[in-house]
Amino acid sequence: MIITSYKAHISMPFLHNPSCNYVFRSDQMSSTFQMAPLAVLVFLVCATLASGAASVRVGLTRIHSDPGIPASQLVRDALRRDMHRHRSRPGGRELAAAPDGGAATTVSARTRKDSPNGGEYLLTLSIGTPPVSYPAIADTGSDLIWTQCAPCGDQCFKQPAPLYNPASSTTFGVLPCNSSLSMCVGALAGAAPPPGCACMYNQTYGTGWTAGVQGSETFTFGSSPADQARVAGVAFGCSNASSNDWNGSAGLVGLGRGALSLVSQLGAGRFSYCLTPFQDTNSTSTLVLGPSAAIAGAGVRSTPFVASPAKAPMSTYYYLNLTGISLGATVLSISPNAFSLKADGTGGLIIDSGTTITSLANAAYQKVRAAVKALVTLPATDGLDSTGLDLCFALPSATPAPPAMPSMTLHFDGADMVLPVESYMISGSGVWCLAMRNQTDGATSTLGNYQQQNMHILYDVRKETLSFAAAKCSTL
């Protein structure tokens, strides 16, 4: 999909110096990802600058705001957004360990489902002094941390939390243009920025956009005073103009490999999460960043990350080497090169917490589809309108539950990830569907969060390794 960079009109009262008309402009269009390319417009303006953490534990919870919404509709709407999503684009402060080598502090916040029509996991964190709490999509497929900022007027979407107002925070500062974390530093090309220079951005996604100024602020992680940790000087996007495409959230927290992500800015080294089941509307699970992020046990498997291309936005993704897929004891006849990452940055497979449905290169998807269809004795039905999914079966009203199916195994380099039937099939509205979709051969495939449910996953960024084990995430 070709999209055009959109420059929103932005009014920011905390940026003021009307006599300064020095402007630098840089337009950057990313390479095409699996969904849609991202247009990033950054420009410099003059502004008056406003004036040892530990492991960070962020509670994840998945809550339906409307339990009556059928799972099939949630998948359909999440799939719609998946097909038009972007990812953004590499410092960081080290998370300090306690004297005994453990985490000096652990903190918790909540992550929930972005219902009524979504498939992302939201974490809750606080920004500013005094802290203002807001929910944001947890996304390993992008870098930028951003939230809506007051004043927004009619150019912002409605959000469930109060708007953060930088003018009311004693710790807000505009991020200098020559900061290593500034999106405008490239536009300066080594030149000294003018006095009071600030970097404003406009990121356009396939179905939406957000625009604002880069700031620096204190973030608070944790739901109670006993487990809270405050981290100062976090670079983030302060948006006061956005489209209405972020249901249930007030922004996004990038957990990718780039310098702007929360992982990189905290110097976390490693992080882990365990995503509660898609249809679990009450349980909480946990995102941990830093030294205490770990998994152990006989069931843990590990696979190395594939080196990411240097070019944005691919440089931010966590690539894995998927070598094959089995259904039950049957190894599907998929070419070993189906998921290879090419020298030009095309192809490959990434793991992404911000995408719901797994997408596979079409040649591989058709093998999976055929194998599932051959094992299911129910009549096939067109569920595309109700679910957005390609392979669905009609569930007789008298059937209490879908039929038994074998597990599906994703064969990664050195490690097998076993998916129970509830992690690759989904039922609702009288249909039972394969919760995967096809991707154009040569495009990037994605391991989505539906297939990651009830899986404890550890990203060891320093060791360049992903580890995982089946788990009951609601109990962790």
Side-chain angles (χ1 to χ4, degrees), residues 147-159:
T147 186
Q148 293 194 119
C149 296
C152 263
D154 59 1
Q155 291 197 82
C156 281
F157 57 86
K158 292 182 180 180
Q159 65 179 53

Side-chain angles (χ1 to χ4, degrees), residues 418-425 435-436 450-454:
V418 180
L419 304 177
V421 62
E422 60 269 20
S423 291
Y424 71 88
M425 299 291 292
M436 294 182 174
Y450 189 82
Q451 279 65 42
Q452 298 174 52
Q453 61 184 320
N454 270 343

